Amino acid sequence: MGKSSKLQSALLLTFLIAVWGINWPLTKIALAHTPPVLFSGLRTLLGGIFLLVVAIPRYRKLAFRKTWKIYLVAAFVNVILYYGLQTIGINYMPAGLFSAIVFLQPVLVGVFSWLWLGESMNALKFVGLILGFAGVGVISMGGFSGDLSVPGILLALGSALSWALGTIFVKKVTPVVDSIWLVTMQLIIGGALMTVGGLQFERWSDIDWNGTFVLCLLFIAIFVIAAGWIVFYHLIDTGEAGKVASFTFLIPLVAILIGTLFLNEPFTVSLLIGLMLILISIYFVNKPRRNVMKIT
């Protein structure tokens, strides 16, 4: 890879980490002006609509009649559960802390890939898994002692689990669907279903369409969801998937830093210890190793 290509990849990776990190505190800010399910539906639906600009020129690869079931399952796991649980759960906890738990996803993907995709499990990954769950345990102790919300912790874990299952599902169906259309359709289908569902028990009139909310909604829909997924798949196509996986540990740090500086969210010693364990865990699970002991 030439210097210009490496620089481009580094810039795109920096962009991805920044926007996916800032997503969490922005979501926290937006939820002060909107019911959670309607907001979750709106941001993903808008993100899917924006992605149509990229997807429509590839219309021959849609194959909707053949692959609609795949789009529906992906929408349920990667959008309705993942975005839905996180949008509700972030109301119960600081945004940075919530994101730290959700980003156990790469650890869970490591387990599921070993169990269901036949990928290897080496000693470093095994240690990483133990450290990851230990980190969640340290963070969660505050919740069970009354300092943090137990529902928030469970919703964060549910969001991480759904994202991990969705990732495994996408890996399995990649040979038969176009990646851009898969993301676009899951966002549109999932976003539309959440918006309609939200209207059953939330009121459209409860949304405060002020400047702050509109800016947060548009930024998340355009940059976090639409552009973020485009960049993600571009990095995968150019052979940067390993880096994307390895560097996702920086995203909770960005979220926690922004939350601490601008939202006055607490930063405690137990949070620091738990977060460091999670970050080490994610790094170990995603670090490529050769000639290491394999667990069968």
Side-chain angles (χ1 to χ4, degrees):
M1 183 183 294
K3 290 184 178 180
S4 60
S5 297
K6 288 183 178 179
L7 177 60
Q8 182 187 49
S9 295
L11 291 174
L12 289 175
L13 189 56
T14 301
F15 167 82
L16 188 65
I17 291 168
V19 296
W20 280 8
I22 201 174
N23 167 60
W24 301 92
L26 282 184
T27 298
K28 189 85 169 183
I29 293 171
L31 286 172
H33 308 283
T34 177
V37 179
L38 278 177
F39 175 65
S40 190
L42 282 174
R43 65 175 181 169
T44 48
L45 179 58
L46 284 176
I49 291 172
F50 286 126
L51 265 181
L52 281 174
V53 176
V54 178
I56 286 177
R58 307 160 66 97
Y59 70 93
R60 296 181 184 276
K61 298 183 178 182
L62 174 59
F64 187 77
R65 290 185 179 180
K66 179 182 178 181
T67 57
W68 68 270
K69 291 182 180 178
I70 293 175
Y71 297 141
L72 194 60
V73 173
F76 178 72
V77 181
N78 287 330
V79 177
I80 294 175
L81 286 182
Y82 171 58
Y83 283 114
L85 291 176
Q86 71 173 240
T87 306
I88 296 171
I90 203 171
N91 282 306
Y92 293 91
M93 295 171 63
L97 172 56
F98 192 89
S99 71
I101 298 176
V102 170
F103 273 87
L104 269 175
Q105 181 263 2
V107 177
L108 297 176
V109 168
V111 176
F112 297 153
S113 297
W114 172 45
L115 294 175
W116 298 327
L117 299 181
E119 296 184 4
S120 64
M121 174 66 72
N122 57 52
L124 192 65
K125 282 186 178 181
F126 185 74
V127 172
L129 296 177
I130 294 175
L131 290 176
F133 286 108
V136 173
V138 171
I139 291 174
S140 301
M141 283 191 297
F144 291 101
S145 65
D147 297 330
L148 293 176
S149 165
V150 173
I153 293 170
L154 295 176
L155 287 166
L157 289 172
S159 185
L161 177 61
S162 62
W163 187 16
L165 291 173
T167 300
I168 297 300
F169 177 74
V170 169
K171 283 186 176 183
K172 279 184 169 291
V173 302
T174 293
V176 296
V177 294
D178 177 68
S179 60
I180 297 297
W181 271 115
L182 176 60
V183 176
T184 303
M185 293 305 297
Q186 73 179 21
L187 289 174
I188 291 176
I189 295 171
L193 290 175
M194 276 194 293
T195 302
V196 172
L199 288 172
Q200 304 305 309
F201 49 91
E202 296 175 349
R203 295 180 299 178
W204 196 264
S205 59
D206 288 338
I207 301 177
D208 182 8
W209 295 91
N210 57 49
T212 299
F213 171 71
V214 172
L215 286 175
C216 287
L217 176 63
L218 290 178
F219 183 92
I220 291 172
I222 296 172
F223 294 102
V224 175
I225 294 178
W229 284 110
I230 290 174
V231 169
F232 179 76
Y233 278 105
H234 172 76
L235 291 171
I236 288 178
D237 290 340
T238 55
E240 298 294 322
K243 286 187 178 181
V244 174
S246 297
F247 280 94
T248 54
F249 68 82
L250 293 174
I251 294 173
L253 289 181
V254 173
I256 287 174
L257 179 62
I258 294 173
T260 301
L261 293 177
F262 298 104
L263 300 181
N264 297 317
E265 294 184 347
F267 192 90
T268 63
V269 174
S270 62
L271 172 57
L272 177 62
I273 294 172
L275 179 61
M276 292 306 299
L277 288 172
I278 291 174
L279 298 186
I280 295 171
S281 163
I282 294 173
Y283 176 74
F284 278 7
V285 170
N286 287 279
K287 183 177 174 60
R289 299 283 288 182
R290 295 181 179 179
N291 299 325
V292 294
M293 180 184 70
K294 292 185 177 180
I295 300 172
T296 57

